[in-house]
């Protein structure tokens, strides 16, 4: 049951980034996208590798 929670968390991060960017146009999107990519990679490595 680890995989669905890892996937839901990664989708949640990207939904949160989309909401933040939609709510405030003054925020630099590049930094948020970079943070989202790094966080998604870390969560994927931890979440998907922990099941092995």
């Amino acid at each position: 049951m680890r995989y669905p929670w890892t996937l839901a968390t990664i989708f949640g991060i990207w939904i949160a980034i989309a909401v933040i960017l939609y709510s405030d146009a003054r925020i630099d999107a590049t930094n948020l996208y970079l943070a989202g990519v790094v966080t998604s990679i870390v969560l994927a490595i931890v979440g998907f590798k922990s099941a092995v």
Side-chain angles (χ1 to χ4, degrees), residues 1-29:
M1 188 76 174
R2 292 182 185 124
Y3 295 135
W5 289 112
T6 303
L7 188 62
T9 304
I10 292 172
F11 279 144
I13 290 168
W14 288 103
I15 290 171
I17 289 172
V19 168
I20 291 169
L21 289 175
Y22 182 74
S23 66
D24 191 3
R26 296 175 292 153
I27 296 176
D28 184 21

Side-chain angles (χ1 to χ4, degrees), residues 7-52:
L7 188 62
T9 304
I10 292 172
F11 279 144
I13 290 168
W14 288 103
I15 290 171
I17 289 172
V19 168
I20 291 169
L21 289 175
Y22 182 74
S23 66
D24 191 3
R26 296 175 292 153
I27 296 176
D28 184 21
T30 306
N31 291 335
L32 279 178
Y33 289 143
L34 182 62
V37 167
V38 170
T39 306
S40 295
I41 290 172
V42 169
L43 285 174
I45 290 172
V46 171
F48 292 130
K49 195 171 194 169
S50 67
V52 175

